[in-house]
Amino acid sequence: MTEKRDLSPPPFDNPLRRAERLLQWAEPLLDEEEKICSRRDLAAFAAQAPPLQAELDRLRRRGEDAFLDEVPYWEGWYLSCREPLPVHANPFYLFDLSGLPREGDPCRLAARLALAGAAFCLDIDGGRLEADSFRGERLCMAAYEKLFRVSRGAFPFRDRLVRGERDSLSGRSALVLVGGRLFLLELISPEGELRRLDETARLLRSLYERTEPDPLPLGLMTTVDRDEAHRFRSRLVALPSNERSLAEIEGSLFALRLDGPCGDSMEERARHFLFDEGKNGWYEKSFQIIVTADGVAGLNFEHSARDGTHMGRLVSELLRGASALSGGVSLPSGARPLSFVLDEGLRAELHRASRSARNLSEARRQRLYRFDLFGADRVKAGFLSPDAFVQLAFLAAQRRLLPRWRSLYESVQMRRFRKGRTEGTRPLTAEAALFVETLAGEEASRGHLRRLLLGAGEAHRRRIDLCMAGEGVEGHLGLLRRVWQERGADLAVEEPSLFQGPAWTKLTSNVFSSSTTEGKGLLLAGYGPVQIGGLGLRYLRCPDHFLFHVSSWAEQDQGEPFVEALDERLSLMGMLL
């Protein structure tokens, strides 16, 4: 699938306007002294920005926008992060299976989902994928080219995406994990036909019943920080035959995990799907379809080359395709085990990785909170965006806990542009601050509060529209900062004080990191916290309720007080609808 050239590139072309907008957006976070300092930074940036912008323009012309991968929250940004992938980076989804044929055998459910994934891959390969759209506009589809046969490889300083071959056996096979052991199972014939459902389910059932768990799974290598993962990978491929086996893993369609039971409660399931302590995962694969012995299913995905909007399409295709399977061909191959040569040094590193995985798991906190008094339908009836309403509730809950404002991040898609990914908006507008402070005062009339609420909602909409139009703050300025880091000395430009000043550092802090998903096809979605002392906030917008996944670190854990404050603020704000 080749991205059409009718999409325009992001308009990263007016740095001073972005810098002025930075100060405007950061203003509620700054005291008077910080505002004065930020204005000085802006004045200095007026002289520093032109050569940086000129170099950015030159790089974009030379590389046809390849440099855009360095935009914050785009591919290069993720690949440069060195924290472990589980909890720190990879989100998870839990599927709503109510629309699928009821399967008493989890392995048959896994077969349905795996074959549906393979069918989606064939549609992409054949150029049959209908374009995504938003408000009647066609969206960039380039990320779907990196959905299948792709893994994140650990390399020094910056990871790389490793691609497989469409016509290879591994490129027609799923990586199946059972008890930490690794297998390749062919799902697509050399002629491009899907394997039969009954045959696939039988093979998966045989694997699950006959495989003894690996006490030291190789997948642990994908759970450690990226520098440690690189050292392990380098030593692994230096031993005989390992490089070929690793290439088969990385070039496979996707990972399919047949896990043990994950528990009855949603909290237990959320913990399992976010991170299983490395017992049966390969967190570098583009995505892992996970099916547990108690019939729960979902995804865990690596974030660098794809975002929630792409994964939402994948969920829809998996659930639709799993219900529509028919026919198929019988293939002669069975599940082939993948083996590796491990010396004592590598085994010792896997033992250390196992301990690190347990420590990482114990350090996280995950809370589920369902707000049942009303949902998205009632908010819309009150002439307000459900997203704006929830973001204002997040700000109101934050203000109940903290003496000063902290920045709140919200992801916004920029896919109307060629290569477009996301921009980070900041919902703390001046109108939002005024509404929250007035609400906390408990003296204003309902009519006045409602007017402030509607005004804050409209300000949120305008800021979202700016970001979707490529006019946000962090993308363009973050790209100029990257230009300075790589080319500043050659350009004789000193580091702009803007990027060390209070406006930039406070606005771009992700202590509170949020994103949303429509509830269609999902029971739950979530990810880990971004910063120590911070919260990861993922929520589903449903017609009659909201469902929140709130993650935090055990150190400086604010999750429970935040949930209590959020419940109170949502209830109070509901009286204004």
Side-chain angles (χ1 to χ4, degrees):
M1 180 176 59
T2 302
E3 183 67 18
K4 293 182 179 179
R5 302 294 295 180
D6 57 356
L7 297 181
S8 60
F12 295 153
D13 55 7
N14 193 325
L16 293 184
R17 183 171 65 204
R18 305 304 175 96
E20 291 167 355
R21 190 167 290 151
L22 166 68
L23 267 61
Q24 176 192 355
W25 287 18
E27 187 170 357
L29 301 165
L30 307 177
D31 60 29
E32 290 305 315
E33 184 176 342
E34 290 169 332
K35 291 176 185 177
I36 294 171
C37 177
S38 298
R39 285 192 287 271
R40 286 198 301 265
D41 293 337
L42 177 61
F45 190 66
Q48 297 165 317
L52 295 177
Q53 181 65 42
E55 179 65 9
L56 173 59
D57 293 342
R58 186 188 70 82
L59 290 168
R60 293 181 68 179
R61 288 193 300 269
R62 186 184 69 181
E64 294 198 359
D65 278 339
F67 196 71
L68 292 182
D69 283 343
E70 306 305 320
V71 171
Y73 318 116
W74 292 23
E75 184 175 303
W77 183 89
Y78 279 110
L79 294 176
S80 296
C81 294
R82 309 313 288 165
E83 295 84 8
L85 299 181
V87 185
H88 290 269
N90 285 23
F92 77 91
Y93 292 159
L94 288 183
F95 295 161
D96 178 0
L97 301 175
S98 60
L100 294 187
R102 295 186 65 86
E103 298 285 6
D105 180 4
C107 291
R108 190 172 175 86
L109 171 61
R112 284 188 176 277
L113 293 170
L115 291 169
F120 187 35
C121 180
L122 289 174
D123 285 341
I124 295 173
D125 290 346
R128 297 186 295 272
L129 190 60
E130 183 178 345
D132 296 336
S133 63
F134 183 76
R135 298 176 183 171
E137 282 190 285
R138 181 186 181 277
L139 300 182
C140 177
M141 301 291 284
Y144 291 108
E145 297 178 0
K146 300 178 182 179
L147 190 56
F148 295 92
R149 308 184 186 96
V150 176
S151 289
R152 175 170 173 167
F155 290 89
F157 308 113
R158 176 188 174 118
D159 288 354
R160 303 175 202 161
L161 295 183
V162 183
R163 308 287 294 270
E165 297 294 331
R166 179 189 303 188
D167 296 329
S168 66
L169 177 58
S170 60
R172 295 183 282 108
S173 303
L175 169 67
V176 181
L177 295 99
V178 184
R181 300 195 185 275
L182 307 165
F183 304 86
L184 277 184
L185 179 62
E186 189 177 7
L187 299 179
I188 302 172
S189 75
E191 295 74 30
E193 297 178 278
L194 292 180
R195 190 167 207 151
R196 292 179 54 197
L197 172 61
D198 289 346
E199 183 175 272
T200 306
R202 176 177 56 78
L203 289 168
L204 292 177
R205 166 54 58 188
S206 177
L207 278 181
Y208 188 76
E209 291 178 344
R210 299 181 183 182
T211 301
E212 290 293 325
D214 188 341
L216 203 60
L218 188 65
L220 285 165
M221 68 176 278
T222 70
T223 71
V224 295
D225 72 68
R226 303 310 295 161
D227 293 325
E228 187 175 348
H230 158 63
R231 290 190 292 270
F232 189 98
R233 177 195 177 97
S234 297
R235 292 189 60 180
L236 183 72
V237 298
L239 295 174
S241 76
N242 286 348
E243 187 170 13
R244 178 180 177 181
S245 294
L246 184 60
E248 290 185 298
I249 289 175
E250 294 177 331
S252 61
L253 288 166
F254 50 81
L256 173 63
R257 286 170 43 182
L258 304 181
D259 286 9
C262 66
D264 295 330
S265 71
M266 287 290 282
E267 288 80 3
E268 290 174 303
R269 295 173 179 181
R271 285 189 65 83
H272 182 88
F273 277 71
L274 180 63
F275 185 37
D276 73 335
E277 298 186 11
K279 297 173 182 176
N280 193 44
W282 198 273
Y283 290 88
E284 294 176 345
K285 282 303 292 180
S286 56
F287 64 93
Q288 304 173 80
I289 297 175
I290 306 170
V291 179
T292 68
D294 38 8
V296 182
L299 290 176
N300 183 291
F301 70 92
E302 197 279 312
H303 215 325
S304 64
R306 57 209 63 87
D307 299 307
T309 56
H310 309 107
M311 301 311 290
R313 174 73 180 268
L314 174 63
V315 170
S316 297
E317 296 288 345
L318 290 178
L319 297 181
R320 180 192 60 79
S323 297
L325 290 173
S326 62
V329 297
S330 181
L331 298 177
S333 62
R336 178 165 62 87
L338 295 172
S339 59
F340 289 82
V341 176
L342 300 179
D343 60 21
E344 289 304 312
L346 288 174
R347 291 185 180 279
E349 289 189 39
L350 286 176
H351 279 292
R352 286 193 293 272
S354 180
R355 292 191 293 271
S356 296
R358 286 195 298 272
N359 291 338
L360 176 59
S361 182
E362 291 169 2
R364 59 173 162 153
R365 298 291 182 269
Q366 293 173 250
R367 294 173 176 83
L368 271 59
Y369 163 57
R370 178 176 171 131
F371 182 79
D372 281 319
L373 290 182
F374 55 86
D377 284 355
R378 181 172 164 189
V379 176
K380 292 176 185 177
F383 303 101
L384 197 67
S385 155
D387 176 57
F389 186 84
V390 172
Q391 292 294 331
L392 289 167
F394 284 161
L395 291 168
Q398 176 201 141
R399 204 69 177 103
R400 293 280 287 174
L401 299 179
L402 301 176
R404 293 189 60 181
W405 286 113
R406 303 294 295 271
S407 190
L408 169 64
Y409 167 89
E410 180 184 9
S411 177
V412 180
Q413 63 93 355
M414 274 181 59
R415 289 179 57 197
R416 68 172 63 176
F417 299 105
R418 187 165 67 242
K419 292 197 68 174
R421 292 280 302 269
T422 59
E423 173 66 282
T425 192
R426 302 291 167 165
L428 181 58
T429 62
E431 294 85 351
L434 177 60
F435 166 71
V436 170
E437 299 285 8
T438 306
L439 182 70
E442 300 180 354
E443 296 177 356
S445 68
R446 179 184 179 278
H448 181 55
L449 282 171
R450 176 166 169 77
R451 287 191 292 274
L452 293 181
L453 174 62
L454 293 175
E458 177 61 20
H460 184 268
R461 183 196 63 77
R462 291 195 299 270
R463 191 164 287 190
I464 292 287
D465 286 347
L466 275 175
C467 290
M468 292 182 62
E471 293 288 343
V473 166
E474 288 177 72
H476 187 184
L477 292 181
L479 202 54
L480 291 177
R481 188 184 194 190
R482 186 66 176 171
V483 170
W484 176 83
Q485 290 170 338
E486 293 195 4
R487 302 280 295 138
D490 295 336
L491 298 172
V493 176
E494 294 184 356
E495 180 179 10
S497 59
L498 186 78
F499 296 126
Q500 299 298 326
W504 177 263
T505 56
K506 288 197 168 186
L507 186 75
T508 61
S509 170
N510 291 329
V511 175
F512 294 90
S513 177
S514 73
S515 66
T516 185
T517 308
E518 290 189 28
K520 186 177 180 180
L522 296 177
L523 292 177
L524 185 66
Y527 52 85
V530 177
Q531 295 180 201
I532 295 293
L535 299 175
L537 308 169
R538 187 73 183 258
Y539 60 100
L540 299 185
R541 309 185 304 270
C542 301
D544 60 351
H545 70 276
F546 295 99
L547 183 60
F548 299 87
H549 177 272
V550 179
S551 63
S552 57
W553 296 113
E555 183 180 350
Q556 303 178 25
D557 181 16
Q558 289 287 318
E560 193 62 36
F562 183 86
V563 167
E564 293 174 359
L566 180 61
D567 180 75
E568 179 190 36
R569 296 291 95 174
L570 283 170
S571 300
L572 183 59
M573 289 169 57
M575 299 171 63
L576 306 177
L577 295 173

